Amino acid sequence: MAKKPTQKPQDESRRRFLKYSGTAIGGVVVGGVIGGIIGSSNQKRGEDAEPGETKTPAAESNRDYNQALMFFNQDQFMITEAASERIFPADENGPGAKELGAAFFIDHQMASAYGMNARDYMMPPFYKAEASQGYQLSFKRRELLALGLDALNEYSSDKYKKTFTKLAPEEQDAVLSDFEKDKVNLKGVPASTFFSLLQSLTIEGVYADPLYGGNKNMAGWKMRNYPGNQMSFYDDIEKEEFIKMEPLSLHDHLELG
Amino acid sequence: MATKLPKASVVIVGMGWVGGILAAELTKAGHTVVGLERGKSRATQDYYHVHDELRYASRYELMQDLSKETITFRNTEKMKALPMRSYGSFLLGDGLGGAGVHWNGQYYRFLPYDFEIYSKTVERYGKNKIPKDMTIRDWGITYDQLEPYFVKYEQMAGISGDKTLPPNIGAMSVPFSTGPMKKTPGMKIFEESATKLGYHPYIIPSANLSDNYTNPDGIERASCQYCGYCERFGCEYGAKADPVVTVFPVALKTGKLDLRTHANVTEIMHDGKKASGVRYVNTPTGEEFIQPADVVILAGYVFSNVRLLLTSKLGKPYDPKTDTGAIGRNYAYQVNGASTSAFYEDREFNLAMGAGALGSNIDDFNGDNFDHSDLKFLHGANIRFTQTGLRPIQYQPVPLGTPTWGKDFKQASIHNANRVLAVSGQGASMPNRYHYLDLDPEYKDAFGMPLIRMTFDFEEQDVELVKFIAQKTKEIADGMGATKTEMHDTIRQYNIVPYQSTHNTGGTIMGDDPKTSVVNNYLQMWDAENVFVCGASNFAHNSGYNPTATVGALAYRTAEGIEKYLQKGGSLV
C-alpha cells in the first residue's frame, strides 16, 4: 500500500505528483528536495493515462526534423542503416534497428562529445596494448566508424562486386562477420574494434530514450516490456504477476518552469 | 605565484562521504573547516531527468573526466602500463559527494574476521596456510572497537534492514534505523532455496530508505520508490543516502564549513614531519592558492589519496622488490565472476523495478564462516540475488552459445529480458606483494602531474575462490524452480575493459606497524602527525562486501581522533 501522507500536500505540483505517481510520501522535507522534485514530475503511468490524451505535443506534424545528418555522408548513413538492421533485424517481435531510427542515433552520437572522445584520456604516447589494457589508439570513435563504414563498402565491392547496401541480407551478414573476426585489414586498426563499436551503438540506438533519435516511439522498449521512465514502483515491487505497462519517455516527464 | 590564504584549523581534500562526515562532525564540534573539492557542486535538482540510461550509465555523466586524469594499468611488472583511456572495470566519482552519489547503497559492516584476518588465519590453520606473497595483515583495530562508529554511520544515513541478523556476521549493538526493504518474488525464491540448503539468508541492508526517516541531525528523507535507477545515477528523491542530502547540509548549517568546489589539490606542503597546508588550483582560472591548516585530511578515492602522498613526497613509497615502504602497498579489488543464471520459461518477473540495495543474501561462505582446511583459498564471498532495476542497453540476457548479434540474438535477448534471476558472489580480494600502486614514469594528467600506476592481476587464490563460490551459487539457483541454470565459474587474467566493480582498496593501509602501514588506527599518518588519510585506501585487504559501511565507520572514528589531536597534539596511539 502507498504510504499515507502525514501532512497535506504543499502545493499544486505536489498534488500532481501524488496523484500521478500513485505514491504519496508523507511529511517529508529533504532540504527542499521533494518540494522541488515533484515540480517536474507531472507524469502519469501509461496505464493511468486519460483516454484521448496524446503523449506527443506538436501532433499536428508528423515530420521529425531531428531526422537529418549531423556527421555522416549519405553513403555512410545508408551503410549504417543496413548494417545496424543486420545486427538487430526486424522480426516477429517487432521493428529492427532501421525502423527504430538507430542510424540517426548513431549519426548524432558521432557528432557529439562521445564521437570525439571528449571525456577519454587521449594524450600520447600511444603504444600497442595487451588485450587486458583496452583501447589504445589515437583514432577517435567518429574517425574509426567512418573508416569502417567505407571499408564495408570496399570489402563488399571486392568480394561481391556490389556495394554493401546492395547485397542480400546473408551476404551482408557474411561481410559483417568477416569484420567481427578481424579478417579485414582496416589500416592496421582491428576490424573487430570497429565492429564492436557499431554493435554497441546499434543496441544503444534501439534502447536509449527516444530523445536521442533512436528507439522511435519507444518501440524498442515495448518489444521487451521495458517501462522506461516511471517515477515509482512502490506499489508494484512486491507483486507476483508480471505487469505490462505502456512505457514513458523523458519527454513525457518534461515540465519546465 | 600562489596566493597564500588565511590559516584554517582543518583542510579536507575531497568532499565525498569521508569529507562530508568529517566536515559535519568537526564543524558541529566548533572547528572551522575548509573543504576542497576538485569537481562541481551537486544538488538533488540535478537528477530530475536522471532516468536516462545512455547519459548516466553508458556515458558516465557523474564520473571523473578521464581526459583530465586517469590511471595507468598493467597486470605485472613485465608489462608496460598504459592509460585507462575510457571507462571499463571501475568508475571514478567526481564532484560534491564523489562516488557517494552514484553508489547503490548496499551496506555491509565488514566481518570481525576481516579486521584480524592474519591472526585468525594463523590461529585456525597455521602460518603455512598463507601463500607466499599474500600480504594479509591485521588492521590494527578490531570489530568491537569499530562497532560504535558503524552505529553512527547507520543512524546518520538511515540504514534499512532486518531487526535480527544471522549469527555468522558481526553483532550489532543498535538495530537498523528502519525496517528492511520490500521483498520481491525473486528474493523470496532465493531465500527459500538458501533456507532449504541450511544457509542463513537475510535482506541486504540498504541505504535506500525503506521508510521515511529523520536522523539525529534532524535531516528528514523520503522512502525509496523502487524506480530502478541507483547505481551510476543520483537519487531524485534523496531516498538513497548520499553526502549531499545527509552530512553537507549539517556542516554548512554550522557556518563553519568553507566549501570550495573546482579546487584541485596538487600538493601537500610539509617539512617531512608535519604538513603546513595544501596547494590547490582554482580550475576555472588556473590560479594557484596555498591553504595553510593545522590539520590536513586526505579524503579522496583510493587513487587520489595515494597519488597525492607520492607526488608530495610524504611518507615512504612501497617497493615490492625489497618489500619495504608503505605508500601504494596492498592494493586490492573485488573478485566477482562466480554466478549462476536461472532461466524461467514459464514466468516473467518485474525486473525493471528495483533499487540499488534491493536483494537477499547469505554469508555462509564469506570470511571464515566455513572450513578452509581443504581449500586452496582464504576468505570467500557474499552470495546474493539483487534486483537493482535492469535497464535495456546494458542488460542483454541470452543463454550461453547464443550469437552476439543478428536474428537469434534479438530473439533470445527479448525473450529473456524478464525471465532470468542471477545468483552471484561478491568475492573478497586478498593483497599480494606484487599488487600495488605507484607513480607512472611516463603519463601525466592535465596539470602535468604523473598518473597513478596500478599493477594488478588475479592469482590462484582468486581462481579457486571463484570456482568454489560458483558451485554454491549453482546449488542455490538449482533449488529456485527454474527451467534451466547456467553457471559461470572461471576468471582468468584481470582485464580492465569489462565493468566489474568500483570497490578498489588499499595503498594507504592502516595497521600497528609504522614500517608496513601508512596510518595508525585513527588514520593518523605515522610519518606526519597532523595528516590524516581516510577512505577505502586504508583497507589492508578487501572483504566479500561493498566497502562504504566500513569507510563510513572509519571516518567517524577519525573525526574523534582529529578532535583529540586538535586539543592535545601528538600521536594518538
Side-chain angles (χ1 to χ4, degrees), chain A residues 36 121 125 132 204 212 231, chain B residues 48 52 59 75 237 443-444:
Chain A
Y121 187 84
S132 65
E204 288 170 356
Y212 295 100
M231 286 307 290
Chain B
Y48 290 0
D52 186 338
R59 302 286 184 264
N75 288 109
Y237 291 99
Y443 289 98
K444 306 274 193 285

Side-chain angles (χ1 to χ4, degrees), chain B residues 392-467:
Chain B
I393 295 172
Q394 302 206 312
Y395 181 60
Q396 306 295 332
V398 293
L400 292 170
T402 308
T404 56
W405 55 279
K407 189 172 171 30
D408 292 346
F409 165 77
K410 182 186 175 190
Q411 167 62 28
S413 60
I414 288 175
H415 178 72
N416 290 301
N418 300 297
R419 291 180 193 275
V420 182
L421 303 182
V423 178
S424 61
Q426 177 162 233
S429 175
M430 298 298 101
N432 181 289
R433 177 171 171 176
Y434 298 102
H435 300 170
Y436 64 98
L437 304 173
D438 65 355
L439 292 178
D440 191 274
E442 186 160 16
Y443 289 98
K444 306 274 193 285
D445 71 4
F447 297 103
M449 310 283 289
L451 297 181
I452 202 83
R453 174 171 69 177
M454 176 205 292
T455 306
F456 179 74
D457 208 347
F458 291 130
E459 305 291 335
E460 185 66 13
Q461 145 84 22
D462 307 306
V463 173
E464 292 292 328
L465 183 150
V466 165
K467 217 189 282 176

Side-chain angles (χ1 to χ4, degrees), chain B residues 53 56 74 85 133 148 198 212 230 248 272 307 316 350 402 440 456 492 507 513 515 530 564 572:
Chain B
E53 185 184 10
Y56 288 91
R74 58 184 181 173
R85 295 193 180 273
D133 299 334
N212 302 332
C230 266
F248 284 119
R307 192 168 82 121
K316 195 166 178 225
N350 295 307
T402 308
D440 191 274
F456 179 74
R492 294 188 184 88
D513 181 358
K515 286 204 187 73
N530 68 339
K564 277 188 210 166
L572 293 164

Side-chain angles (χ1 to χ4, degrees), chain A residues 121 123-127 133 136, chain B residues 69-77 79-85 303 306-308 310-311 313 317-318 327-328 436-445 448-455 496:
Chain A
Y121 187 84
M123 287 191 237
F126 294 90
Y127 294 101
Q133 294 175 302
Q136 294 292 338
Chain B
E69 185 193 328
T70 184
I71 63 139
T72 68
F73 159 71
R74 58 184 181 173
N75 288 109
T76 67
E77 290 179 315
M79 268 167 75
K80 178 170 182 56
L82 295 177
M84 177 177 81
R85 295 193 180 273
F303 303 116
V306 175
R307 192 168 82 121
L308 195 53
L310 290 174
T311 53
K313 297 187 173 17
Y318 173 59
I327 311 227
Y436 64 98
L437 304 173
D438 65 355
L439 292 178
D440 191 274
E442 186 160 16
Y443 289 98
K444 306 274 193 285
D445 71 4
M449 310 283 289
L451 297 181
I452 202 83
R453 174 171 69 177
M454 176 205 292
T455 306
I496 204 163

Side-chain angles (χ1 to χ4, degrees), chain B residues 548-569:
Chain B
T548 301
T550 303
V551 171
L554 287 172
Y556 274 102
R557 191 163 188 280
T558 301
E560 223 174 82
I562 292 169
E563 273 246 62
K564 277 188 210 166
Y565 180 79
L566 284 167
Q567 283 157 22
K568 291 182 189 160

Side-chain angles (χ1 to χ4, degrees), chain B residues 8-278:
Chain B
S9 179
V10 174
V11 64
I12 306 178
V13 182
M15 295 308 268
W17 264 129
V18 170
I21 289 169
L22 291 174
E25 293 304 293
L26 293 171
T27 55
K28 278 193 284 181
H31 304 289
T32 57
V33 173
V34 171
L36 302 175
E37 165 55 46
R38 67 184 176 174
K40 65 179 176 185
S41 187
R42 292 191 191 286
T44 302
Q45 290 90 309
D46 297 342
Y47 313 131
Y48 290 0
H49 288 258
V50 83
H51 292 178
D52 186 338
E53 185 184 10
L54 186 76
R55 176 177 171 190
Y56 288 91
S58 304
R59 302 286 184 264
Y60 314 110
E61 174 76 25
L62 298 176
M63 311 309 166
Q64 174 182 316
D65 182 346
L66 296 182
S67 74
K68 294 178 181 157
E69 185 193 328
T70 184
I71 63 139
T72 68
F73 159 71
R74 58 184 181 173
N75 288 109
T76 67
E77 290 179 315
K78 286 179 194 136
M79 268 167 75
K80 178 170 182 56
L82 295 177
M84 177 177 81
R85 295 193 180 273
S86 320
Y87 278 113
S89 183
F90 46 83
L91 306 174
L92 307 169
D94 191 41
L96 193 63
V101 171
H102 68 82
W103 70 316
N104 260 331
Q106 297 172 10
Y107 179 88
Y108 296 100
R109 296 172 168 203
F110 276 14
L111 297 162
Y113 165 75
D114 282 312
F115 301 100
E116 298 169 89
I117 188 168
Y118 178 79
S119 309
K120 289 188 184 235
T121 301
V122 171
E123 188 185 310
R124 187 167 175 183
Y125 307 105
K127 259 190 184 171
N128 291 337
K129 181 72 182 169
I130 302 168
K132 185 174 169 284
D133 299 334
M134 184 190 283
T135 51
I136 51 171
R137 26 189 115 250
D138 295 346
W139 289 33
I141 197 166
T142 64
Y143 176 86
D144 289 342
Q145 281 176 291
L146 204 52
E147 207 281 336
Y149 306 97
F150 281 117
V151 174
K152 283 192 174 192
Y153 183 89
E154 285 152 19
Q155 298 193 334
M156 174 276 295
I159 302 298
S160 302
D162 285 313
K163 276 267 177 301
T164 51
L165 294 165
N168 58 14
I169 59 178
M172 291 174 59
S173 61
V174 181
F176 288 126
S177 325
T178 46
M181 299 290 277
K182 293 182 176 220
K183 204 182 272 189
T184 67
M187 290 160 70
K188 280 186 204 158
I189 295 171
F190 170 88
E191 290 194 6
E192 280 160 18
S193 176
T195 304
K196 243 182 237 167
L197 289 162
Y199 306 146
H200 302 84
Y202 63 102
I203 294 180
I204 294 177
S206 162
N208 321 137
L209 283 173
S210 66
D211 206 343
N212 302 332
Y213 176 66
T214 305
N215 80 6
D217 293 314
I219 298 282
E220 289 184 83
R221 289 169 35 237
S223 72
C224 173
Q225 299 300 303
Y226 301 89
C227 75
Y229 287 82
C230 266
E231 187 173 41
R232 305 190 184 195
F233 304 87
C235 181
E236 76 270 41
Y237 291 99
K240 174 170 78 177
D242 90 30
V244 178
V245 295
T246 52
V247 283
F248 284 119
V250 174
L252 289 166
K253 202 178 157 197
T254 63
K256 291 185 176 296
L257 171 63
D258 179 354
L259 177 59
R260 299 179 201 152
T261 53
H262 302 291
N264 197 328
V265 175
T266 53
E267 187 184 353
I268 307 163
M269 326 283 290
H270 66 90
D271 61 8
K273 284 183 189 137
K274 275 176 107 169
S276 57
V278 298

Side-chain angles (χ1 to χ4, degrees), chain B residues 363-377:
Chain B
D363 286 315
D364 297 85
F365 300 99
N366 204 355
D368 202 29
N369 288 343
F370 57 110
D371 185 9
H372 290 71
S373 299
D374 298 325
L375 300 171
K376 292 182 198 146
F377 65 93

